[in-house]
Amino acid sequence: METRVLHEIAPLGENDFMYVADRHKKEFDYPIHCHDVMELNFVSGAAGARRIVGDSSEVIGDLDLVLITSSNLEHVWEQHECKSNDIHEITVQFYIPFEDEKQPFRTNPYTSIYKMMQRAKHGLAFPMEASLSVYHLLKELSRDHESFHSVQRFFEVLYELAKYNDARELATSSFAKVEVSSESRRVLKVKDYINTHYKDEIRLDDLAQLVGMTPTAFSRFFRLRTGKALSEYIVDVRLGNAARRLVNTTDSVSEICYTCGFNTLSNFNRLFRKRKGCNPTEFREKYQKTKIII
């Protein structure tokens, strides 16, 4: 099975900062894709549409706002069960070299934006309150013909969005190929170990010993620092790698199951459906049906 991806060429010239498209339409008809630039996408009036970002698949409500800063993260909004005849979509494609330590985006005034951009490598979905707070600014972007003011206004959008700590990361790190990071060296050491050994049996005692803690104390510590139980994090890493292999290889579902650390096919299918909303075969078919080569 060949990997087929629509790699969109963004309409940005060498000296351009961003492109804004503000449009009303009756349906979503663009295939799943990725692109070299970053994207902030606002959608209203499309309840029932399905949003796919990496290995995340969700049915959206009346308002949806997502920031994507990874160049290789596939994404699409599909019609699914949306019945609206007036879908409003505002898309901002832009490029900010926030990884470059010599750029001003790494300085203190931009700290909150920088942290948000890092998280958005997974795709970042904002709560309804955030969508409402920046809607008027996004509307003005498409109407402002003064490039300097447009850029300033867009940074105001990013600054406002960076205040929402409850924005949700969408794709898993293992699917999006995002390096794990943590303020705790102990947690980072454990995450690195899990990312390397996810195919193998991972025992709580071994991880606790790795960071010099008792198993009970380490379990509490990991949940406190990450917001997830250790077992839940391990499953997420394994499922993310499995989803990536479903998209990029021709390996059978059972082969992917066992090489990604799952003991039984039934357990793999159950967990996959619970986390992804479909079984592994349906997940693979959904991607293959919506990808093309250019």
Side-chain angles (χ1 to χ4, degrees):
M1 188 180 296
E2 186 179 0
T3 301
R4 298 169 291 170
V5 181
L6 172 59
H7 190 94
E8 178 186 346
I9 306 301
L12 289 174
E14 182 179 355
N15 297 317
D16 295 329
F17 174 77
M18 68 180 181
Y19 161 79
V20 183
D22 186 338
R23 53 197 178 273
H24 289 263
K25 58 188 184 181
K26 293 184 178 180
E27 62 179 353
F28 294 99
D29 55 7
Y30 202 68
I32 194 164
H33 61 284
C34 62
H35 37 64
D36 294 332
V37 296
M38 301 162 188
E39 181 175 292
L40 179 67
N41 202 50
F42 168 88
V43 177
S44 68
R50 178 166 53 200
R51 181 220 315 122
I52 298 173
V53 178
D55 55 342
S56 167
S57 178
E58 298 178 347
V59 176
I60 67 173
D62 286 328
L63 289 177
D64 194 53
L65 181 63
V66 169
L67 175 64
I68 299 171
T69 58
S70 173
S71 61
N72 295 313
L73 187 58
E74 304 96 328
H75 56 279
V76 70
W77 277 255
E78 297 179 335
Q79 196 68 19
H80 193 47
E81 297 177 351
C82 176
K83 305 298 183 183
S84 174
N85 289 319
D86 184 18
I87 300 168
H88 186 198
E89 187 173 41
I90 303 176
T91 302
V92 184
Q93 294 185 336
F94 63 100
Y95 178 69
I96 297 177
F98 66 94
E99 297 283 18
D100 189 342
E101 295 185 358
K102 297 181 180 180
Q103 293 291 333
F105 311 113
R106 297 293 295 273
T107 59
N108 289 335
Y110 294 93
T111 297
S112 62
I113 295 178
Y114 172 75
K115 290 181 177 179
M116 177 181 68
M117 300 285 274
Q118 288 283 6
R119 293 184 64 206
K121 290 179 180 179
H122 302 82
L124 203 57
F126 293 92
M128 181 179 296
E129 182 183 357
S131 301
L132 293 172
S133 71
V134 300
Y135 173 69
H136 68 289
L137 293 171
L138 290 173
K139 283 290 294 179
E140 291 173 7
L141 280 179
S142 62
R143 300 169 179 171
D144 196 337
H145 299 291
E146 289 290 337
S147 58
F148 176 81
H149 293 142
S150 294
V151 171
Q152 295 301 105
R153 185 170 287 112
F154 183 62
F155 272 104
E156 185 178 350
V157 169
L158 295 178
Y159 176 72
E160 291 300 320
L161 292 178
K163 296 177 181 179
Y164 292 88
N165 295 323
D166 54 344
R168 295 181 297 107
E169 294 177 10
L170 297 174
T172 58
S173 296
S174 45
F175 187 95
K177 303 300 181 185
V178 176
E179 291 187 15
V180 297
S181 60
S182 172
E183 295 177 357
S184 166
R185 283 178 293 179
R186 285 177 171 176
V187 171
L188 183 57
K189 189 174 184 179
V190 168
K191 286 185 173 182
D192 285 341
Y193 180 90
I194 293 171
N195 286 342
T196 302
H197 299 278
Y198 69 90
K199 299 178 182 180
D200 309 317
E201 180 183 3
I202 300 176
R203 300 175 62 248
L204 172 60
D205 289 352
D206 294 337
L207 295 179
Q209 185 178 7
L210 185 67
V211 293
M213 301 175 71
T214 67
T216 302
F218 172 68
S219 291
R220 289 197 298 262
F221 174 78
F222 189 88
R223 182 186 285 274
L224 179 65
R225 290 305 183 98
T226 66
K228 286 187 176 182
L230 177 63
S231 58
E232 182 183 1
Y233 180 80
I234 293 172
V235 167
D236 283 347
V237 171
R238 286 172 171 164
L239 286 177
N241 279 285
R244 176 52 71 183
R245 292 189 65 181
L246 285 166
V247 172
N248 288 349
T249 75
T250 60
D251 295 345
S252 68
V253 171
S254 60
E255 183 179 358
I256 291 172
C257 161
Y258 295 116
T259 55
C260 285
F262 295 96
N263 293 324
T264 67
L265 184 58
S266 60
N267 188 46
F268 172 58
N269 285 329
R270 180 182 62 81
L271 289 170
F272 199 98
R273 178 178 288 279
K274 180 179 179 181
R275 302 293 179 89
K276 310 299 183 186
C278 61
N279 66 41
T281 300
E282 291 169 341
F283 182 88
R284 170 176 271 170
E285 289 175 348
K286 178 170 58 179
Y287 263 80
Q288 293 300 319
K289 287 177 180 178
T290 55
K291 290 187 177 182
I292 60 174
I293 299 176
I294 63 167

